[in-house]
Each structure stands twice: as structure tokens, then as C-alpha cells.
Amino acid sequence: LAGFSPGLSLYVYDKDVVIITEQLALETKTFFAFYNTANMIGGLCGRWLSYKLQQRHPMTYVGFSLLGAWLLVLQEPVLAPAGAFLVMLGDGLIYGTISRHVDSVIPQEFNLIAISYWLFIGDVGSLIGSSLISY
């Protein structure tokens, strides 16, 4: 996930200015302010929606992340914030759905331990995955 949002984008948009359209160019810092805002809103929406929607298997939401990654791979600056939003929407829905499942099946006295363990395993996977990316 980090390979696409924001990892890949940091290397794609590494000039002083990002050309969004023929009429619009933004400083790279400003572009990434919009990009990162879309990234954050996607993650927040996914986590919020995961507790509002009918419970589904987390794999149901992988499509959002894949669509977002595809938009990012196109390397079109006008689509990049939408790609970041979708990647993080999928991520938020997956994490939130699993957390909701833990909340619903684990007795309350063990809930903190179970969710902490789940998040720890996710962090270990993230570290391993990011270590495999060659810079």
C-alpha cells in the first residue's frame, strides 16, 4: 500500500511544479497538500463507513485500493488525489471491518489485547513489505 500512496507519488512528482492541466500548475508542496488531504479523508471515511455499512468480508473492499492504485499508476496529476483517496478508503474499510469483527466476537475483557495484537501483526506486515521496496 505504501508503494502506491504516497510512496510512488513522491518519486513521480519530484519537480518544483506539478502540471495538473494545461491551464493549471501547482507548486509540488501545494499539490501534495491536496494529495495528502485526499489521502487522509479516504482513510477517515473508510474507517467511519466500516462501522456504518453492513458487515462484509474485508476482501470486498480490496477493489477500492486496486482502483486507486491503478489511478496512481497512470501518473496523471489530476487523478492522483482521487487515487490516494480510493487507496486509503479501501485501507480504512478493510481495517475498520476487521476491527468491527473483533469488537463483535471477542469478549470485552479481551478486546484490547485482541485488537492490539491484530494491529501489531498489521504493522509487522507493513514493515516487511516496505523493506522489500528497493529505493
Side-chain angles (χ1 to χ4, degrees), residues 5 35-36 38-39 42-43 68 71-72 79-89:
S5 185
Y35 180 96
N36 290 334
N39 190 315
L71 289 176
L72 292 171
L79 299 175
F85 174 85
L86 288 171
V87 166
M88 293 311 294
L89 178 69

Side-chain angles (χ1 to χ4, degrees), residues 71-131:
L71 289 176
L72 292 171
V73 167
L74 292 175
Q75 297 182 13
E76 293 290 334
V78 72
L79 299 175
F85 174 85
L86 288 171
V87 166
M88 293 311 294
L89 178 69
D91 178 69
L93 284 165
I94 291 166
Y95 266 81
T97 299
I98 294 169
S99 297
R100 182 178 176 189
H101 179 72
V102 169
D103 287 345
S104 66
V105 299
I106 303 294
Q108 189 168 1
E109 66 259 25
F110 303 114
N111 190 281
L112 179 60
I113 295 167
I115 199 72
S116 296
Y117 183 71
W118 153 243
L119 294 172
F120 173 75
I121 294 299
D123 287 344
V124 168
S126 177
L127 282 170
I128 292 170
S130 65
S131 298

Side-chain angles (χ1 to χ4, degrees), residues 23-92:
Q23 295 83 20
L24 179 62
L26 295 174
E27 275 189 63
T28 304
K29 293 176 189 176
T30 305
F31 171 77
F32 274 110
F34 286 113
Y35 180 96
N36 290 334
T37 300
N39 190 315
M40 175 197 66
I41 292 171
L44 286 172
C45 287
R47 283 161 175 77
W48 180 78
L49 282 171
S50 67
Y51 277 82
K52 300 295 181 190
L53 298 173
Q54 176 185 346
Q55 275 193 298
R56 293 180 172 83
H57 193 281
M59 286 297 291
T60 306
Y61 304 116
V62 169
F64 289 109
S65 294
L66 293 175
L67 178 60
W70 179 70
L71 289 176
L72 292 171
V73 167
L74 292 175
Q75 297 182 13
E76 293 290 334
V78 72
L79 299 175
F85 174 85
L86 288 171
V87 166
M88 293 311 294
L89 178 69
D91 178 69

